Amino acid sequence: MTLPARNLLAEEASPYLQQHSGNPVHWRAWSPAALAEAKELGRPILLSIGYAACHWCHVMAHESFENDAVAAVMNRLFVNIKVDREERPDIDQIYMAALHAMGEQGGWPLTMFLTPDGKPFWGGTYFPREARYGRPGFVQVLEAVDKAWREKQQSLAESADGLTAHVEQRLAGAKGKAVLDRAALADLAGRIDGMIDRDFGGLRGAPKFPNAPFMHSLWLSWLRDGQTAHRDAVLASLEKMLAGGIYDHVGGGLSRYSTDDQWLVPHFEKMLYDNAQLIRMCNWAFAATGNDLFRIRIEETVAWLLREMRADGGAFAASLDADSDGEEGLFYTWSREEVETALGGDSGPFFQYFELAAPHGWEGKPIIRQSEAQQRQGIADYARLAPLKAKLLVIREKRVRPGRDGKALTDWNGLTIAALAEAGRSLGRREWIDAAAKAFAHIVEAGRDGRLPHSMLADKKLFPALSSDYAAMTNAAIALFEATGDEAYSDHARGFVTELDRWHQDGENTGYYLTASDSGDVPIRIRGDVDEAIPSATGQIVEALVRLSSLTGDLDLWEKAWTTAELAMGRAAQQAYGQAGIVNACALALEPLKLVIIDKPESPSLVPVMNRNPDPRRVDIVVTIGTETNRPLLPGGVLPPTDKLGAWFCSGQVCLPAVTDAGELEGLLRRRPDSNGT
């Protein structure tokens, strides 16, 4: 039985799918029923994948999907399926890999043509309605694909079989173990360093993305091997990024990427995951340098999160759109006259700290940015500058706001919760830790039968969770345990790993699949090894297992973490790109650090030293002096005495002698090896 001949997206939980519910296209969401309809009709599937904050997705929607004539062709020739890549990253990764295998550059909107049984045979990204930009018109594409399907169906089906087999081998295959050693980690860091733009930071070329997994690799290289050049590359990249137009100087927060190589012109969408990772990187950078730039940018970005991104129950929304009132960047850009009107006599001082840039080809109003000198001066004079920015923010709040994708994604929230807990601990901001705890509680309470949802929007929840959800929430639970000492978070972390094992572990115990074993609508069960803008699901899983085993002292869990890491590294070694998340997590497995502190809660002397020296490789445990229960195990099953102050710093299975002096602990936590790793 076929589905009704109309658009079926109105009841979907995804704001992105709802955006398309008024299209004349007979859209279906990805579902067994939609796939069955294609088989019954013998029609190919037109699969369109995008997300709510995607600028070119909106362009293609306005040009083609809202056009009655284009929709009529789509409805006549295809079964049309619309997917929110944030709701279904498993589906997105499969068909993006297929597009790459065809030799095409990826991106969104992703436009793929599938056989009725869901196997890809051709595709692309954005197609204009009329031929331009060197691309054929979309109706031309539709008719050419239909003609090929009618005349060459057998050969296209064979091609689709081969392409599907290739994707399955790449995304779901099992490779041998790889030895975890420092050389592999150093090799990745060296290759990333070779791609760094020495003039403007980040990776060379345009467009320019923050690329947090790569920056993380360089930071770990400095921590592990003393490679100061790698640390400096991260610091310089952050400084230049935070001065550029990609950073929202009025309201805080980072846009997804810049279209140029100087961080000036962003695509103005703001994604939750970028800003969670920015907070973490700036937290480490502030601890290493004491540069107030990083502290202030954390404070501004967290203020934006709490002001604009809080969703139902205290969880965080997925993204803000680039467009408002039909124009990209309109909400964020300013003419000189607008600034002068808003600030009056204070506009002169404002322009001492900022400049308005309107580069060649940019059609909107100018973009606020700073030179490096202006950024340094602005931080030094922040007490003078902050009220001016606040005035502009009040004016800006009266503008037509960009659309917000209000769904709360569990894995992205996990990243954000961990970032807020870590920064709140480092900077002494208890209210940030409380905000993280509230978001965590809301997501846990939304669970069903012990299982997490992947996405939530009001009372609509999308089950089952992905492996990335359990991994991110495990890491979030550990970060909250470190920040609060509440054992309930440790229990949650154990429970998440139990569910991860139950629903996602493969039959040979060689790793985990992204989708759950009872997800019946995926053509391929993939592992989730590939980084996107965030570390891969596999990378997050390895990190979660390593950190939980360090926290609990569970040797069986440690064996599982090590085996998972070795096999993940074996698969990563077969890939050319996108495996930094796995390698970074394997760096934690190679050298897990654990710090146990016994201190006085009323007048702590050691805990503040620990808090102001964060290290992504380390798990921190604080015990109140005199405590008799719930004492953490040191490696070797040793219980530290709790009748006196002390700090035990352990690397792997080796612990240094206890430290009782705050200055000595400071020196211990800030000590770095030289570039030879000694």
Side-chain angles (χ1 to χ4, degrees), residues 368-675:
I368 295 178
R369 71 168 178 190
Q370 294 181 308
S371 68
E372 291 180 65
Q374 286 175 320
Q375 180 166 255
R376 286 192 297 271
Q377 194 61 45
I379 296 301
D381 299 344
Y382 198 73
R384 181 190 187 201
L385 179 58
L388 307 183
K389 294 169 67 167
K391 282 186 179 181
L392 291 184
L393 183 61
V394 169
I395 299 296
R396 197 176 80 176
E397 288 296 297
K398 298 174 183 177
R399 296 176 174 176
V400 175
R401 294 193 59 81
R404 187 178 85 162
D405 186 335
K407 68 177 181 290
L409 294 161
T410 295
D411 48 358
W412 295 8
N413 268 267
L415 293 173
T416 307
I417 291 162
L420 287 172
E422 291 169 6
R425 187 157 66 99
S426 294
L427 301 182
R429 301 293 293 265
R430 179 70 206 194
E431 69 273 24
W432 296 355
I433 298 169
D434 291 342
K438 186 174 182 180
F440 183 92
H442 179 70
I443 292 170
V444 170
E445 289 164 6
R448 187 172 69 200
D449 300 326
R451 302 179 73 175
L452 293 173
H454 172 61
S455 176
M456 296 169 285
L457 183 69
D459 59 347
K460 295 178 179 178
K461 302 178 180 69
L462 180 66
F463 288 92
L466 302 168
S467 64
S468 56
D469 297 316
Y470 288 111
M473 286 294 284
T474 301
N475 287 317
I478 294 169
L480 281 168
F481 171 80
E482 292 175 303
T484 66
D486 187 341
E487 291 283 341
Y489 290 116
S490 176
D491 294 339
H492 278 303
R494 286 179 179 271
F496 295 148
V497 169
T498 297
E499 293 298 304
L500 179 69
D501 286 348
R502 179 181 178 188
W503 297 106
H504 296 271
Q505 194 166 32
D506 65 26
E508 296 75 37
N509 295 335
T510 62
Y512 297 84
Y513 289 111
L514 182 59
T515 46
S517 57
D518 58 347
S519 295
D521 63 350
V522 287
I524 302 170
R525 237 182 131 201
I526 66 174
R527 292 188 178 274
D529 287 344
V530 180
D531 296 335
E532 296 183 295
I534 61 175
S536 65
T538 301
Q540 293 186 66
I541 290 167
V542 171
E543 179 182 355
L545 295 176
V546 170
R547 288 175 64 77
L548 185 58
S549 65
S550 292
L551 177 70
T552 61
D554 185 330
L555 292 179
D556 290 337
L557 189 56
W558 169 248
E559 286 296 325
K560 179 189 295 183
W562 184 260
T563 299
T564 304
E566 285 185 313
L567 288 159
M569 196 70 166
R571 298 193 302 274
Q574 307 297 316
Q575 305 295 338
Y577 192 80
Q579 314 298 313
I582 288 176
V583 178
N584 294 341
C586 288
L588 307 188
L590 195 63
E591 190 180 20
L593 303 182
K594 182 171 184 173
L595 179 62
V596 176
I597 287 183
I598 314 296
D599 210 345
K600 299 176 182 177
E602 66 278 3
S603 57
S605 60
L606 301 178
V607 168
V609 176
M610 173 190 71
N611 286 344
R612 66 174 173 260
N613 288 286
D615 188 324
R617 303 169 298 169
R618 204 177 70 221
V619 169
D620 297 336
I621 304 173
V622 178
V623 179
T624 299
I625 194 167
T627 297
E628 292 299 324
T629 58
N630 294 326
R631 282 188 289 168
L633 285 172
L634 299 176
V638 176
L639 283 169
T642 61
D643 58 341
K644 57 186 176 183
L645 294 179
W648 284 262
F649 184 66
C650 308
S651 175
Q653 297 302 306
V654 177
C655 295
L656 298 177
V659 170
T660 58
D661 177 74
E664 188 178 352
L665 179 60
E666 185 97 42
L668 186 64
L669 298 184
R670 297 187 74 85
R671 188 173 67 198
R672 299 283 172 255
D674 60 32
S675 59

Side-chain angles (χ1 to χ4, degrees), residues 16-44:
Y16 174 67
L17 297 187
Q18 290 178 6
Q19 286 174 5
H20 292 270
S21 63
N23 295 167
V25 179
H26 295 168
W27 289 120
R28 286 86 172 85
W30 183 275
S31 68
L35 299 174
E37 180 184 26
K39 286 183 180 178
E40 182 173 336
L41 294 175
R43 286 186 194 171

